[in-house]
Amino acid sequence: MKLAVVGGGSTYTPELIDGFARLRDTLPVSELVLIDPAAERLELIGPLARRIFAKQDHPGLVTTTSDLDAGVAGADAVLLQLRVGGQAARLQDETWPLECGCVGQETTGAGGLAKALRTVPVVLDIAERVRRANPDAWIIDFTNPVGIVTRALLRAGHKAVGLCNVAIGFQRNFAALLGVAPAEVHLDHVGLNHLTWELGVRLGGPEGTDVLPRLLAEHAEAVAADLRLPRTVLDRLGVVPSYYLRYFYAHDEVVRVLGEKPARAAEVAAMERELLALYGDPALDEKPALLAKRGGAFYSEAAVDLAAALLGDGGSPVQVVNTYNNGTLPFLPDDAVIEVQARVRGTDGSGPVPLAVPRLDPLYAGLISHVTAYEDLALDAALRGGRERVFKALLAHPLVGQLDLAEGLTDRLLAHNKEHLAWA
């Protein structure tokens, strides 16, 4: 089995390599290709990947290349983990929206739109080249904003599935709190990428006993602390919102806090420099502890599980993924991309099939519908360009929604992203 990782020069990659090495019985990779235009990063990460494989007695071959077409040739699956513009663009996404009193964040709000505009055309070009090289290859997208990027891929007819680590993070944290194995925990995880709620926590399977009330009764303080939300939110809702809901439920407080400290992008950039120095140490043969602070916890395990299910008989039969709605949430169009539990079997080409979801309370359905409308307009702007399309997408976003804010944010978005937007 051959896998290719586009964005293989990312500092995330050793986390992914570690997962491939540890879970080789689940996903027997014979060749792993790391693809990245940054050859200097590949010179550090490629040898580290080989050392990690060797330490864990993984027989697979690890190669590196900056030639995308050569790298994806013959690949059974291609993982996308790229960041157009790098941390410099992320830093801008996190700062200029604050000038308008809006949240500065790389996946939601105005910063998330900027990232989508930069990313969608690049990902679609990559996917088309993957299709020419191997039309049967699955594309697993971890590139943010995952929902919009996955929708672009699916609309263009690619065999694509979106992946996020939020659900597996909740699974692992809840399992630890409950004192059970992670495999015993199944989530009633519903919404859009970075806009989800855990409506139930079931033990033993998707139809198992819901222990969410017990979890909240015994551990609400710990769960709320991880979310950086008041415990009263959990008490009043009776569900667990994702961390990203704080940008909606506590927007003004988040903006205030963000304005008082360095941007996360600056912290990550410094961390990346330190990580790359560590990766260059020829004695290092495991992922360093510092990588846990980089983000993307459990990403490798989620990626291995999904790839194994898509490519063979391995992996969990039910996983949380981003895929077409197809009637799962009746208030959304079929071609909306949602993030829910799905049965995943890809050997017949069908891909994920979402499980049935109970009727959602308007409190959640309303926000999901609102953000889906924004994502429609955001994808249109990413595919066709134009200042007016950018403005309309911002005006539709629930974190913007005012004419003067949308105008000011549009001006700033375009000014900070001209080098990445040919039409601008």
Side-chain angles (χ1 to χ4, degrees):
M1 182 184 299
K2 177 180 177 179
L3 297 186
V5 181
V6 179
S10 168
T11 53
Y12 273 133
T13 299
E15 165 72 25
L16 192 60
I17 300 299
D18 177 74
F20 288 148
R22 288 186 295 103
L23 302 171
R24 57 184 174 275
D25 292 338
T26 302
L27 186 68
V29 177
S30 57
E31 182 179 359
L32 178 65
V33 185
L34 306 180
I35 306 167
D36 204 291
E40 69 280 3
R41 285 194 170 211
L42 291 178
E43 291 173 0
L44 298 174
I45 294 174
L48 172 58
R50 297 184 192 102
R51 294 193 297 271
I52 293 173
F53 266 28
K55 182 178 182 179
Q56 301 195 37
D57 296 322
H58 193 296
L61 174 68
V62 178
T63 61
T64 63
T65 182
S66 294
D67 185 332
L68 176 69
D69 297 312
V72 301
D76 297 289
V78 178
L79 282 71
L80 305 182
Q81 57 170 34
L82 56 141
R83 182 184 295 279
V84 179
Q87 293 299 329
R90 175 179 178 173
L91 179 61
Q92 293 179 353
D93 294 344
E94 292 179 348
T95 51
W96 54 261
L98 296 174
E99 297 171 5
C100 297
C102 294
V103 68
Q105 211 278 329
E106 62 161 339
T107 64
T108 193
L113 176 60
K115 193 172 196 302
L117 296 178
R118 295 192 303 267
T119 304
V120 166
V122 173
V123 166
L124 288 178
D125 176 67
I126 292 169
E128 190 56 42
R129 293 162 72 177
V130 170
R131 179 156 53 189
R132 288 199 300 267
N134 183 7
D136 293 326
W138 280 99
I139 295 175
I140 298 174
D141 176 56
F142 193 68
T143 297
N144 282 318
V146 168
I148 295 173
V149 172
T150 302
R151 190 170 185 183
L153 288 165
L154 290 172
R155 180 182 286 188
H158 298 289
K159 291 176 60 178
V161 185
L163 180 64
C164 181
N165 70 320
V166 167
I168 193 172
F170 274 133
Q171 181 204 41
R172 299 309 169 89
N173 291 340
F174 293 166
L177 292 172
L178 294 167
V180 300
E184 290 296 304
V185 176
H186 293 258
L187 305 176
D188 291 343
H189 180 101
V190 181
L192 310 177
N193 180 243
H194 289 186
L195 193 87
T196 52
W197 297 262
E198 309 308 323
L199 305 183
V201 177
R202 302 184 181 277
L203 295 184
E207 306 300 326
T209 302
D210 182 11
V211 297
L212 179 58
R214 170 188 151 199
L215 179 74
L216 293 180
E218 297 177 358
H219 304 288
E221 290 289 352
V223 174
D226 285 341
L227 301 174
R228 300 189 212 173
L229 284 169
R231 173 185 172 152
T232 53
V233 173
L234 305 182
D235 293 337
R236 298 178 74 175
L237 296 184
V239 305
V240 180
S242 82
Y243 166 87
Y244 291 91
L245 265 298
R246 65 193 289 267
Y247 297 116
F248 295 81
Y249 292 165
H251 177 272
D252 292 352
E253 172 64 12
V254 171
V255 169
R256 183 188 66 77
V257 171
L258 290 176
E260 295 175 349
K261 65 178 186 178
R264 172 64 176 165
E267 296 176 359
V268 171
M271 197 180 304
E272 286 197 332
R273 289 191 291 271
E274 188 174 351
L275 283 169
L276 289 170
L278 291 172
Y279 295 167
D281 180 356
L284 183 67
D285 57 5
E286 61 186 8
K287 63 178 182 179
L290 178 62
L291 187 55
K293 299 180 181 180
R294 172 66 180 82
F298 310 115
Y299 158 45
S300 64
E301 295 173 43
V304 167
D305 210 18
L306 179 55
L310 291 172
L311 299 176
D313 296 326
S316 304
V318 175
Q319 301 181 32
V320 173
V321 297
N322 286 261
T323 191
Y324 270 150
N325 177 45
N326 283 337
T328 308
L329 300 180
F331 52 88
L332 295 183
D334 285 348
D335 67 348
V337 165
I338 59 174
E339 186 172 290
V340 294
Q341 288 193 106
R343 296 199 180 278
V344 182
R345 280 292 177 264
T347 51
D348 62 356
S350 62
V353 178
L355 301 186
V357 173
R359 181 180 179 275
L360 289 187
D361 187 293
L363 179 63
Y364 314 121
L367 187 53
I368 290 171
S369 297
H370 195 161
V371 175
T372 297
Y374 151 75
E375 291 188 348
D376 288 344
L377 294 167
L379 181 55
D380 186 47
L383 293 173
R384 298 201 289 164
R387 186 188 189 282
E388 192 66 11
R389 293 188 181 93
V390 173
F391 167 78
K392 288 179 178 178
L394 287 167
L395 187 62
H397 200 292
L399 297 183
V400 182
Q402 299 181 56
L403 290 169
D404 57 340
L405 287 180
E407 290 284 8
L409 289 167
T410 299
D411 289 340
R412 287 168 172 79
L413 186 156
L414 296 180
H416 285 282
N417 287 276
K418 283 185 177 180
E419 64 180 297
H420 300 293
L421 306 177
W423 52 267

